Amino acid sequence: MLKVYNFKDLNRKGIEDLCRRNVDPNNTIRSTVEEIIQHVKQQGDEALIAYAKKFDGIVLQTLFLDKKEIKTIAATAGEAEKNAIKLAYTNIRKFHETQLRAEEKTETTKGVICWREYRAIEKVGLYIPGGTAVLPSTFLMLGVPAILAGCKQIIVCSPPQKDGKVNAYLAFCAQLLGIERIYLAGGAQAIAAMAYGTASIQKVDKIFGPGNQYVTKAKTIIQSESQTAIDMPAGPSEVLIIADDSANPEYVAADLLAQAEHGIDSQAILVSDSKRIIDETSAELKKQLDQLPRAEIAAKALQNSYAIQCSNLLEAMEFSNIYAPEHLILATDQWEAISRDISNAGSVFLGHLTPESAGDYASGTNHTLPTSSYARAYSGVSVDSFIKKITFQHISKEGIINLGPTVEILASLEGLQAHKNAVTVRLKNK
């Protein structure tokens, strides 16, 4: 089921080639996205309505749902589903609340006090995917830290469903979060609308949320061309599982398929020092795949996935750190020992009873994570993603006497006389 490579047969370039994913060699995606961005910049709401018709098959009468409509839609959600969403909301909030910590002031030199204070990003945009799967969990993952951070304006965009609305579970999440408007826009056009603003959608300072390759490309383009920042390049989902002989092939296959069903451009990687585990997992993949409603999507994703056979767990971790997975599962009894060797991963799931789907929904950690090897440099979304940390300093009379001469010397050696004078005039009056 999975194509198998042997780690010892791969040179560095071979490994790097295997780890490369979601590339756009002919700039086909970029060209399409640039055209969409320009159309939205020029035509605003008209472009969004046109793209809803083209991509979603919907003729929109309005570009948003208001508080009353959200309440009506949310009322149709089932009680069991609402209770599950509430529990997930509670756990996500508990975990993210721990990230709100004030920092202490530091006296760097006698009379010189320095510290940092956080301030919320004022206007943020949340993109909630809604293509082949609607993701209320993403709404919680983005909305909870945005609210905890204290963002004043939260713009939410999600593609319209076939009825021109959103589903009941997104609406219920909006109620839990206190969001009173959902904009019916998806894809690269939603990113452009939040980056540049339209008559209906206000321009934001930072855009959050995962998406397909078009959404990811739109985020990277607008970050370089507009004054709007992004959370990270969070594209098609991926998982890497390190499994040894202690692993359960049924569990491993289920975890691989959990990622594969996200979309045809998702990737699921198995790295093992056990040929038996690779063979039995492949057999399990065939068995479980047939039972999935999204079997066709998962099967296409598996065509772009593979297994790596290693000599030991040290080699497995070496490959993982080069791949830098969005999700890393350690399906081994030795997870405590090898977890110390992790240097690149978005979120890690330890042991045999910790499925990645727990983190996707309800354990509390955030599931908006860096993909395509960006875990080498980016963290997942947190409360910190929604704030800026501003440095402060106060210098007393004693402080300027103690620190001033050092600043004068350093300014002089750099040839910046005005910098030196700014201290000198104060020392004259000490």
Side-chain angles (χ1 to χ4, degrees):
M1 190 80 182
L2 291 173
K3 186 173 182 180
V4 181
Y5 299 90
N6 198 305
F7 184 81
K8 68 180 180 182
D9 295 334
L10 296 168
N11 57 25
R12 183 75 183 194
K13 184 179 183 305
I15 292 173
E16 289 175 352
D17 287 344
L18 272 180
C19 292
R20 192 173 293 115
R21 61 265 197 205
N22 300 317
V23 294
D24 184 24
N26 299 317
N27 285 322
T28 304
I29 294 173
R30 172 176 279 275
S31 297
T32 300
V33 170
E34 286 177 338
E35 182 180 327
I36 290 172
I37 290 173
Q38 288 304 313
H39 191 192
V40 173
K41 285 175 69 175
Q42 294 165 7
Q43 301 295 325
D45 286 355
E46 290 181 20
L48 296 178
I49 291 170
Y51 284 125
K53 183 177 181 180
K54 179 179 180 179
F55 296 132
D56 305 308
I58 299 296
V59 178
L60 293 176
Q61 303 303 316
T62 178
L63 275 171
F64 63 86
L65 302 173
D66 61 20
K67 182 179 179 180
K68 183 178 179 181
E69 291 172 296
I70 289 171
K71 181 179 180 181
T72 299
I73 297 169
T76 66
E79 286 303 313
E81 290 81 2
K82 287 194 289 188
N83 288 335
I85 289 172
K86 286 178 184 176
L87 178 57
Y89 168 84
T90 298
N91 287 350
I92 295 165
R93 188 177 180 96
K94 281 181 183 177
F95 178 75
H96 288 76
E97 279 177 335
T98 65
Q99 299 161 15
L100 290 166
R101 294 191 183 96
E103 297 183 15
E104 294 183 1
K105 295 181 179 180
T106 302
E107 188 173 43
T108 57
T109 295
K110 194 67 175 177
V112 180
I113 308 296
C114 301
W115 70 97
R116 295 198 305 176
E117 295 180 13
Y118 74 80
R119 299 289 186 272
I121 298 172
E122 292 187 11
K123 294 176 288 186
V124 297
L126 312 185
Y127 180 69
I128 316 300
T132 60
V134 180
L135 305 177
S137 56
T138 298
F139 202 167
L140 297 179
M141 296 291 178
L142 300 178
V144 168
I147 289 165
L148 289 174
C151 300
K152 292 180 180 177
Q153 292 179 285
I154 301 174
I155 303 298
V156 177
C157 286
S158 190
Q161 301 304 291
K162 294 304 180 185
D163 61 356
K165 308 290 185 182
V166 297
N167 77 9
Y169 310 115
L170 282 187
F172 183 67
C173 288
Q175 281 194 312
L176 272 180
L177 295 165
I179 303 295
E180 298 186 353
R181 182 172 289 193
I182 299 175
Y183 292 94
L184 301 168
Q189 59 271 27
I191 304 302
M194 291 188 283
Y196 296 101
T198 72
S200 297
I201 300 176
Q202 187 172 4
K203 172 179 167 55
V204 301
D205 300 315
K206 190 173 182 180
I207 295 173
F208 297 79
N212 60 22
Q213 293 185 67
Y214 292 88
V215 169
T216 304
K217 185 65 68 176
K219 288 171 69 178
T220 57
I221 290 173
I222 64 97
Q223 179 167 243
S224 64
E225 297 182 357
S226 74
Q227 293 179 313
T228 300
I230 65 170
D231 51 353
M232 74 191 85
S237 192
E238 60 198 36
V239 68
L240 186 147
I241 303 175
I242 293 178
D244 63 7
D245 261 319
S246 68
N248 184 322
E250 183 180 14
Y251 296 176
V252 174
D255 289 332
L256 292 169
L257 288 170
Q259 286 306 301
E261 73 172 353
H262 269 297
I264 60 173
D265 48 5
S266 296
Q267 197 168 56
I269 309 301
L270 172 60
V271 185
S272 179
D273 60 356
S274 168
K275 185 176 184 301
R276 178 186 68 82
I277 289 295
I278 292 175
D279 292 342
E280 291 184 12
T281 298
S282 288
E284 274 292 332
L285 283 172
K286 292 178 183 177
K287 184 193 304 183
Q288 294 182 32
L289 181 63
D290 292 337
Q291 310 303 316
L292 297 178
R294 293 167 67 85
E296 185 177 351
I297 291 172
K300 289 181 179 178
L302 289 177
Q303 290 174 10
N304 299 316
S305 303
Y306 53 85
I308 299 287
Q309 184 170 349
C310 299
S311 300
N312 50 57
L313 293 181
L314 191 64
E315 283 185 355
M317 188 59 71
E318 181 183 350
F319 180 86
S320 176
N321 282 328
I322 297 170
Y323 187 90
E326 176 190 18
H327 305 102
L328 172 60
I329 298 175
L330 302 186
T332 167
D333 289 342
Q334 300 181 57
W335 61 265
E336 287 184 275
I338 68 170
S339 62
R340 293 190 294 268
D341 296 322
I342 298 169
S343 57
N344 301 319
S347 190
V348 183
F349 303 81
L350 304 170
H352 304 299
L353 300 180
T354 314
E356 183 276 323
S357 51
D360 264 357
Y361 292 109
S363 64
T365 60
N366 207 289
H367 78 200
T368 306
L369 302 163
T371 66
S372 302
S373 291
Y374 282 107
R376 296 173 187 168
Y378 285 85
S379 305
V381 163
S382 66
V383 173
D384 280 351
S385 307
F386 291 88
I387 63 176
K388 304 99 57 179
K389 292 189 176 181
I390 303 170
T391 58
F392 291 80
Q393 53 210 282
H394 176 262
I395 300 177
S396 66
K397 183 176 180 179
E398 182 184 22
I400 197 68
I401 292 171
N402 290 332
L403 188 65
T406 296
V407 177
E408 287 181 308
I409 292 170
L410 293 173
S412 293
L413 71 84
E414 292 190 353
L416 298 176
Q417 187 63 35
H419 279 65
K420 177 184 177 183
N421 290 343
V423 173
T424 302
V425 295
R426 287 172 166 81
L427 290 175
K428 285 179 181 177
N429 297 315
K430 62 180 183 290

